[in-house]
Every structure is written in structure tokens, then in C-alpha cells.
Amino acid sequence: MAKTIIVSNRLPVRVESNEGGELNFVSSEGGLATGLGSVYKKGENIWVGWTGYYPKSLEEELIIGDYLKKENMRPVALTMKDVKLFYEGFSNKVLWPNFHYFPQYVEYNNEYWEAYKKVNEKFCNELVKYISEDDTIWVHDYQLLLLPELIRERFPKISIGFFNHIPFPSYEMFRLLPWRKELLNGLLGADLVGFHTYDDMRHFLSSVSRLAARSVKEQHVENGERIVLVDSFPMGIDYDKYANSAASPDTIAQEVLFRTSLQGKRVILSIDRLDYSKGIPQRLIAFEAFLKKHPEYLNKVSLVMLVVPSRDNVEQYIQMKNEIDLLVGRINGQYGMMDWTPIHYFYRSLPLTKLSALYRIAEVAWVTPMRDGMNLVCKEFIASKLDKKGVLILSEMAGSAKELSDAILINPNNLNKQVEALHVALTMPVEEQIQRNEIMQTSLKRYNISHWVDVFMNNLTKIKKVQKSLEIRRLGENDQNVLIKEYNNSHQRLIFLDYDGTLTHFFPKPDDAKPDAELLDILKKLTEDPRNHVVIISGRGRDPLEEWMSGLRVSMICEHGLWLRPIDGTWKKLKDVDDDWKEEIHPVLDSYVSRTPGSFIEIKDYSLVWHFRKVELGLGELRSRELTSHLKYMARDRHLQVLEGDMVVEIKNFEVNKGAAAKRWMKKNPADFYFAVGDDWTDEDTFGAMPDSAFTIKVGVQNSKARFNVESVDDVRALLKKLVS
Ligand code: GDG
């Protein structure tokens, strides 16, 4: 039976051994573990990952294995060396700082990279023990970026989703990594790649198009044989868990204890894992400035700061811990009183009851990371506010700021704004607090963790269906045999061949579109057969094609069907079309050329083309969209058509198209075998004009009117070679 396998670096359980050598299994209370519980605990489904423990004997290994098996989990065994180089090294000293925009902390260490590859392979080797081809695999987070591709190599058809829990950096940051291409290719082994925010997804797509040489169309990456969907899935929390915990008698009893100790002081709350991305020292400096600027709050407001120990064997973390200790000491030393501690600082982890009591007691949650994939603390605070009173101050740099726009949003680098935000929060009228929190609570309830899991899984199913629908149309072995048989049995064949992107590679050098020896040989053999009538049907002007095809027995349709030339004949115009419009449109194109270095205008007899293939990547696409909408407006009353092709925008008369020309050709040259192949949407008109029995083939894996798809120019050539052999 098909099953779902979750994979992450750590399992949702931690194994520890106590002093007596007895093993303890501590379940994770994290949101991800809860959310995915609905998935991995069902039926045959499993979660694969590391336990965080190095078994000391075979016996321990067996005990752990048995326990995990009952809980639908499977372990991946990591050695101390693996953890040092792969986890502490590549994951936390390369990917983490780069992805959080701290390039100065990155250690470009090849040994880390080798270990990262090795451990990703280790995960794959463990997984293959459990996988079958109809399973669904959901891989989590930056420690396993290479895993999707590794699984794909062994299971080409399997469903793979990947979710990145931390930010994906902009191209400018990501390209600093020497292993950038391998990392992208690793991810593109998935069918669905998910991020918390639209910006992360945009950054990823930009890196893919620039660094991985893959074609990106909106949210889809064409990965040779598959379409990969990239989307944003903002992760939610287990809302009811935090709301219920806040309402529980234990939490309320704990709150009373806290309140008694605080002696009526108002509370600002700060909770983070120890990490430079969380902005903890910056927050302390802002608190110091706040006390200085607003002495009216002295002895009235305390900052309760919970810092959860993390990665404290890494140099930057040790330094930051020291910095925090110093700052807390300095501020408490300067402002503290016998009956007031400005900062209550805890460097440890607290149980959920205490955490919930803190959420209840806090008037203000101060969540100001320098960069954060999402940040769940701010969401948990809002869910815990049963009376809807309380104010959230949230950094714009957290993914959650995109959803929680009713919080006070601030830039954590802006000290004055941080100070001002604290003052605004502490003086916000209760009605306004309730109003803001109501909106945020409604949204957090709806977009909770199980919603997140469902939406991700549904999208994975959806993209798989799209892939399957394309697969059905793929020109397979059997279709080829039918095609060849019908070709051989026919007496009069009409063969329409688009040129650029179909017979020759458009990329990387469209200027070198001249036919090479292989293509000339194919065309020669194809045209030598007296039963074949070959028509090159192209958007190009007449001159280059006439030159390149000289000596071959081919007909030609140029400029999308404006000009027709039968075999050995002379050029004829499809119809008299007006070209007065050029005088008006040319200056518009000129203005785009002068603003866009590298672009140029091609003047065809009855069309104008603005080329941008030599323009800086990104800028050309931007200008072409602008130009297209500019021209579409002008085109409406002038009976013109604006075509967006590969790195071109072409303007021509409406009545000229490849379909009309192909129809006319077929009428004059009836045949018992029709064949048409093309790669872009101007060829869709040709496909549409063909009889149902025709063999119409689209190059590329997009939807098309054609009956079949092939992947590349090489496939077209291979097919034509089979026909002439
Ligand atoms: C990564 C991304 C993204 C904290 N202290 C205690 C405690 N916590 C819990 C919180 C919260 C979790 O830890 C922290 O989650 P965050 O989302 O804030 O941060 P990261 O750990 O860095 O997580 C992040 C997340 O992945 C999910 O995709 O949001 O951006 O960096 O749930 O409640 N829990 C308990 N005691 C504590 O002392 N019980």
C-alpha cells in the first residue's frame, strides 16, 4: 500500500540515557511534530531521522530500534564525526549564516561539504530500505537539501515534497556559496518545493533561473523531464494546544506564582533560541535606550527574557552568549533597585505550563529577529491571549510579519523605532489591543498547522497529476512505432517543421542558429524522398532561411506565414497587409532600446521585433512585460498582434499567423500523412490547423494543442533520423 514518509534531520523524539544507563525517550512538543503527527502516525506511514543519540552498544541500538518502530519512526545512525562536519559544520556554519544573511560567519570549508554530501547519501541509503515507487516522501529543511535528487535518481516516478523552514536568501547572497549549483539541483529533485513566504520562493526561483540554467515560468521550473512546482506555505501553529494550555488550571496557578514574584510589575516578554539571527543583543540595547528615554517606566516594567540554549559549542554562539550576559549585567547593574529587576533573564528551556504562564502574564511580546524563516513564538503568544489583551511587537524580517500585519511591525536595526514601539505598546488602549488580536487570532485559527500540512500535501498531489497528464502525451516508444508505421505506409506526406528551438537549440547562442552538419544531413535525407513535402514554418525573415536551406528541396513559410515559398518556387505574400503602423510603433520600440542596453530592433517586411536576449537577465523580462502591455493598448485599434516569444516581443498584423498559412498549404497540397513539430506558442496555430489524425508534436513539457510532447531538440532530431533511416 502507498505510504507517506517524513524525513528530517531529527526525529520528533530525543533519546537520552540517565546515570544508571537507562534509556529515556523524550517526545518533541514542537509544532512540526504535532502537525505531522496526523501524517506519520497513520497506518504504514513513518518518520525517518536521527535520534540525537549515539548508541553505546548493539543492545542499545536494538532497544531504540524497537521503541521507534512502535512509534512509526526509523532511525538514521549518525557518527560524532558526521554530526560535527555535516550538522555543526555545513548546516550550521555554512547554510544557516548564508540563508540568514550573515555571510561573515560562513566557513567555506570543503570538508564540511564532503560530509554534507555523505550524510545526505546516508539518509538516502536508509530511506531506500522502506521506499516503494508509489510512496510520497516529504523532506524537511536545510540539512537535507541534496536528498530529493538522491531519492529521484533511484525512484524516478516517486512523489517528493520539500519544505525549507528557514529563509531562502536572495540570489546575491546565495551565489556566494561555492556549492550553489549542486544545492539547487538537489532541491529540484523534488516535485514540490515549499517556503514560508513569497519572497523566499521568489529568491529561490531567481537563483534557479540564473544558476541552474533551468527554464522558470511563473511558479514552475522545467526540470528536463519534470515540472517542479515552487510555492509558499506559511506554517501555522497548533492553535488549540496553546489556547487550551493557556486556559489550564496548572498554567493559571503558575501565573499566580509569577505575578506574586513580580510584585505587580508590567511584563515585556522575549523568547528565543540562542541565535545571532534572533536579534537578542540588539533587543537588550534597545531596552536600555528605552529605560533611558522613558524613566517613567523605571520600577514599573520588567523584561522577561528566556533564551533557550542552542549550538553553544559554536564560536559565534559562545561570543553572543557572553555579550548577552554582559548586557544583562550592565543594564540590571545600572537601573536595578532593591524591589525591581529590569531584566529577568533565564538561559534554559521551560516546560509548556511555564511558557504558557509567561504568554498569559506578558502585556507585550517583543519578537524582533534580524531574520527568521517564520517565527512561531509570536503566533503562540497571540493564541494564548484568551482575553485578547496584549500587544505584539514584531520584526519585519520574520516570515510571520507577512501574515500578522496587525502587530506593531518594526525594523530591528532601527533603535529609535524599537524604543518608540515599546512605548506605543505599553500605552495602547485596550480596545485597540482587542481589535488587533481578534483579527490575528481569526487568521491563526484558520491557518493552523494541520491546514498547512493539508495544503502542502494537496499541492504535491496536484503537481503529480499535472506531471502525469503531460506524461500521457509524451511521445513514447509505442507512439513512435505507430508514427513510423503510418509514415512508411503513406504515399504523400506533408511535414511542417518549425526552425528555432525545434530543429536548432535556441540557447545559449541564438545568433548561431545556422544549421549544423547533423541537421543538414537529416533535412537532406528527408527531402530526398519524393513522397515527402517538407515545409520549414518559421517566424524568421526570408533571407537567413533562404540562405541556410539553399540546395535543399524544401518549401518555406516565413514571418509567421506572411511569406510562402513552394519548393523551387518564388516567394509569394499570403495577402496584402498594411504596414503603415510601423511608423507609429517603431519610435515606441526605440524608446525601449534607449532605456535597455543590449536590446535591439529587427525590421521584418511586415513585422517589428524587439530582441532582449543580450540584456541583463531579469531586466529584459521586466522591460518586455512593460513593452507588451504598452503595445497591447496601441495594438487594439490597429489590428495588430503582440507576440511574446523566446527573448523577443514581436508586433505584426493580426491576420498573419502560422495556422492560416498551414491551412492554405494543406488545401493546395493534400496528403495522407500530416506531421507538425514546434516549440513555442506561435506553433500552436499550426497544431490547431492540422487534421485530428496528424502527428503534432510540441517540444517542451508545457500544455499544448499538439497530440504529443517531446523534451528537446535532440529528441526531434532523433525522431527524424528514425524516419529517414
Ligand atoms: C525554525 C525557523 C520557523 C522556545 N523556548 C521554549 C519553547 N520554545 C519553542 C517555542 C516555539 C519554538 O520553540 C521556536 O520556534 P521558532 O519558529 O520561533 O524558531 P526556530 O526554532 O528557529 O525554528 C523558524 C520554524 O523553524 C518552523 O518552520 O518558524 O523561523 O528558524 O514553538 O514555543 N518551548 C518550550 N520551552 C521553552 O523554553 N516548551
Side-chain angles (χ1 to χ4, degrees):
M1 206 180 85
K3 59 185 178 304
T4 300
I5 304 181
I6 308 284
V7 198
S8 65
N9 176 43
R10 291 293 297 268
L11 283 170
V13 69
R14 201 173 66 241
V15 180
E16 293 168 351
S17 86
N18 64 19
E19 280 171 11
E22 211 175 287
L23 292 177
N24 279 334
F25 296 89
V26 188
S27 296
S28 158
E29 288 178 1
L32 187 65
T34 319
L36 295 176
S38 62
V39 179
Y40 79 93
K41 288 183 180 165
K42 248 194 239 155
E44 300 288 298
N45 298 350
I46 50 172
W47 189 324
V48 177
W50 183 48
T51 58
Y53 184 72
Y54 307 103
K56 294 191 199 71
S57 61
L58 187 62
E59 195 196 345
E60 276 195 349
E61 226 172 89
L62 291 174
I63 297 172
I64 294 171
D66 279 352
Y67 174 88
L68 295 179
K69 202 162 189 182
K70 278 189 229 127
E71 299 290 321
N72 281 19
M73 295 183 216
R74 300 289 184 276
V76 177
L78 297 187
T79 64
M80 279 188 194
K81 192 174 171 206
D82 285 339
V83 173
K84 194 163 175 39
L85 300 175
F86 142 80
Y87 179 66
E88 291 166 13
F90 198 78
S91 302
N92 290 343
K93 291 183 187 163
V94 178
L95 294 176
W96 182 273
N98 177 281
F99 281 30
H100 285 86
Y101 296 78
F102 286 87
Q104 68 276 28
Y105 292 162
V106 174
E107 291 180 22
Y108 297 100
N109 179 331
N110 223 43
E111 210 188 341
Y112 293 166
W113 168 242
E114 292 302 327
Y116 188 79
K117 282 196 291 186
K118 197 185 113 203
V119 173
N120 271 257
E121 275 159 20
K122 210 175 214 187
F123 269 81
C124 185
N125 291 336
E126 197 56 41
L127 272 171
V128 296
K129 295 183 191 162
Y130 315 111
I131 292 183
S132 48
E133 188 80 64
D134 52 356
D135 288 344
T136 297
I137 319 288
W138 189 0
V139 184
H140 287 264
D141 231 357
Y142 64 102
Q143 299 91 353
L144 300 174
L145 297 179
L146 303 178
L147 190 55
E149 188 187 24
L150 293 171
I151 304 172
R152 177 73 57 207
E153 281 164 7
R154 305 212 200 167
F155 295 90
K157 297 270 179 274
I158 204 162
S159 267
I160 307 176
F162 180 92
F163 188 81
N164 201 50
H165 288 264
I166 66 173
F168 196 90
S170 81
Y171 159 73
E172 286 300 338
M173 187 61 56
F174 185 71
R175 72 171 168 150
L176 297 175
L177 297 174
W179 314 278
R180 58 209 184 172
K181 203 167 168 188
E182 290 90 330
L183 293 168
L184 292 176
N185 286 338
L187 277 175
L188 290 172
D191 300 298
L192 172 64
V193 181
F195 299 95
H196 281 303
T197 70
Y198 169 71
D199 282 338
D200 295 327
M201 148 193 160
R202 216 165 42 78
H203 293 156
F204 173 69
L205 288 171
S206 155
S207 282
V208 168
S209 69
R210 285 151 196 260
L211 298 168
R214 299 284 167 80
S215 146
V216 172
K217 295 209 173 82
E218 292 177 351
Q219 286 171 259
H220 296 102
V221 181
E222 263 183 50
N223 191 18
E225 58 201 33
R226 272 174 313 112
I227 286 188
V228 180
L229 173 65
V230 180
D231 209 341
S232 94
F233 303 92
M235 184 173 156
I237 55 165
D238 182 355
Y239 191 94
D240 291 341
K241 173 179 153 186
Y242 286 93
N244 293 340
S245 173
S248 88
D250 286 354
T251 299
I252 294 167
Q254 184 61 60
E255 184 191 0
V256 173
L257 291 177
F258 281 157
R259 282 202 191 275
T260 312
S261 316
L262 284 162
Q263 297 171 4
K265 305 291 186 282
R266 303 175 72 184
V267 170
I268 299 170
L269 180 65
S270 146
I271 298 182
D272 316 86
R273 240 180 352 87
L274 178 72
D275 202 288
Y276 45 78
S277 65
K278 302 287 183 184
I280 304 170
Q282 290 84 345
R283 210 174 299 150
L284 286 167
I285 290 166
F287 189 62
E288 188 177 38
F290 167 75
L291 293 178
K292 193 167 174 207
K293 180 154 185 212
H294 292 282
E296 68 272 23
Y297 290 110
L298 296 178
N299 201 12
K300 295 209 170 54
V301 174
S302 286
L303 172 64
V304 174
M305 179 172 258
L306 173 61
V307 178
V308 180
S310 165
R311 304 176 196 174
D312 44 13
N313 50 353
V314 176
E315 187 51 36
Q316 285 97 24
Y317 290 71
I318 299 169
Q319 272 177 24
M320 201 184 53
K321 165 76 170 50
N322 290 339
E323 193 185 350
I324 294 170
D325 290 352
L326 282 175
L327 281 167
V328 171
R330 183 172 91 195
I331 299 166
N332 279 346
Q334 179 164 355
Y335 291 99
M337 298 174 190
M338 290 302 270
D339 57 349
W340 176 57
T341 307
I343 304 169
H344 294 276
Y345 167 45
F346 306 96
Y347 183 64
R348 55 178 175 264
S349 171
L350 298 178
L352 182 62
T353 315
K354 288 192 176 167
L355 194 74
S356 289
L358 286 178
Y359 283 144
R360 278 183 68 100
I361 219 169
E363 286 187 39
V364 179
W366 196 12
V367 184
T368 52
M370 310 312 285
R371 194 67 64 165
D372 217 333
M374 172 51 67
N375 194 291
L376 301 178
V377 168
C378 55
K379 295 188 169 183
E380 294 163 6
F381 169 75
I382 298 291
S384 307
K385 288 300 186 192
L386 305 178
D387 61 1
K388 301 186 173 41
K389 289 183 208 153
V391 181
L392 172 63
I393 302 175
L394 179 59
S395 162
E396 291 164 4
M397 312 302 165
S400 47
K402 311 275 193 269
E403 285 171 85
L404 302 176
S405 52
D406 285 278
I408 299 180
L409 297 181
I410 52 116
N411 173 353
N413 297 303
N414 189 335
L415 182 70
N416 292 339
K417 281 279 176 216
Q418 289 255 39
V419 171
E420 191 189 312
L422 283 178
H423 180 59
V424 170
L426 288 165
T427 53
M428 185 181 282
V430 171
E431 306 76 54
E432 187 180 343
Q433 296 178 24
I434 293 175
Q435 200 184 15
R436 287 173 181 248
N437 288 336
E438 227 160 36
I439 298 172
M440 293 193 277
Q441 286 186 343
T442 309
S443 158
L444 292 178
K445 259 184 223 163
R446 173 163 182 200
Y447 299 100
N448 62 20
I449 184 78
S450 38
H451 177 86
W452 177 76
V453 171
D454 290 349
V455 173
F456 188 91
M457 283 307 205
N458 290 343
N459 271 274
L460 185 52
T461 312
K462 200 170 86 187
I463 186 66
K464 231 37 211 176
K465 275 197 190 136
V466 173
Q467 289 176 0
K468 282 222 172 85
S469 71
L470 289 170
E471 221 169 72
I472 294 163
R473 290 222 310 268
R474 190 157 300 197
L475 187 75
E477 197 69 28
N478 286 345
D479 306 311
Q480 286 205 23
N481 292 340
V482 174
L483 190 156
I484 293 167
K485 199 169 154 203
E486 289 200 21
Y487 176 86
N488 288 333
N489 291 341
S490 57
H491 307 284
Q492 195 66 52
R493 307 166 189 140
L494 194 48
I495 298 169
F496 290 99
L497 306 173
D498 169 52
Y499 189 78
D500 294 79
T502 300
L503 297 179
T504 61
H505 293 279
F506 186 79
F507 292 107
K509 286 190 180 162
D511 291 338
D512 288 350
K514 237 170 136 167
D516 51 58
E518 182 191 52
L519 177 60
L520 285 173
D521 184 52
I522 294 170
L523 290 176
K524 189 165 171 283
K525 288 187 178 138
L526 202 59
T527 50
E528 270 169 8
D529 187 330
R531 287 169 293 180
N532 290 348
H533 184 164
V534 177
V535 186
I536 303 289
I537 182 162
S538 168
R540 279 190 180 263
R542 290 176 291 168
D543 293 346
L545 282 176
E546 191 159 39
E547 183 196 325
W548 297 341
M549 296 297 138
S550 70
L552 290 171
R553 211 178 59 86
V554 291
S555 296
M556 278 179 263
I557 297 179
C558 287
E559 290 198 34
H560 298 115
L562 178 73
W563 290 103
L564 317 174
R565 200 208 71 172
I567 298 171
D568 304 329
T570 47
W571 287 103
K572 277 195 206 88
K573 216 189 289 170
L574 178 72
K575 54 164 74 168
D576 269 328
V577 282
D578 160 40
D579 72 344
D580 296 347
W581 54 270
K582 278 184 176 170
E583 278 174 33
E584 277 179 274
I585 301 290
H586 202 285
V588 177
L589 298 189
D590 268 338
S591 74
Y592 279 78
V593 170
S594 65
R595 287 168 60 209
T596 318
S599 69
F600 61 94
I601 301 168
E602 181 189 359
I603 304 171
K604 294 190 194 169
D605 289 343
Y606 288 90
S607 72
L608 290 175
V609 193
W610 183 74
H611 290 261
F612 62 91
R613 61 175 177 264
K614 291 183 176 163
V615 177
E616 181 190 353
L617 197 68
L619 179 67
E621 285 76 6
L622 180 80
R623 290 277 198 272
S624 89
R625 283 196 294 274
E626 194 187 333
L627 174 63
T628 306
S629 69
H630 189 154
L631 289 174
K632 273 194 176 143
Y633 177 73
M634 297 180 75
R636 224 178 295 155
D637 336 321
R638 294 169 178 79
H639 215 52
L640 298 174
Q641 206 180 356
V642 182
L643 305 175
E644 289 171 89
D646 263 329
M647 307 281 180
V648 294
V649 176
E650 177 152 10
I651 306 98
K652 65 179 185 62
N653 284 70
F654 204 73
E655 59 265 41
V656 177
N657 68 66
K658 287 182 178 177
K663 251 193 191 138
R664 177 171 156 153
W665 211 274
M666 285 188 289
K667 210 166 160 192
K668 290 205 169 164
N669 304 280
D672 57 355
F673 177 89
Y674 293 98
F675 178 95
V677 56
D679 72 312
D680 71 24
W681 68 273
T682 63
D683 301 304
E684 293 298 311
D685 291 329
T686 316
F687 301 143
M690 296 279 131
D692 290 347
S693 59
F695 286 91
T696 46
I697 301 174
K698 159 101 183 165
V699 187
V701 285
Q702 304 95 337
N703 273 319
S704 164
K705 285 183 192 157
R707 278 173 67 196
F708 302 103
N709 291 66
V710 294
E711 273 159 31
S712 64
V713 170
D714 295 337
D715 293 333
V716 176
R717 289 188 178 194
L719 175 66
L720 295 178
K721 273 189 200 164
K722 278 188 193 163
L723 292 182
V724 295
S725 64

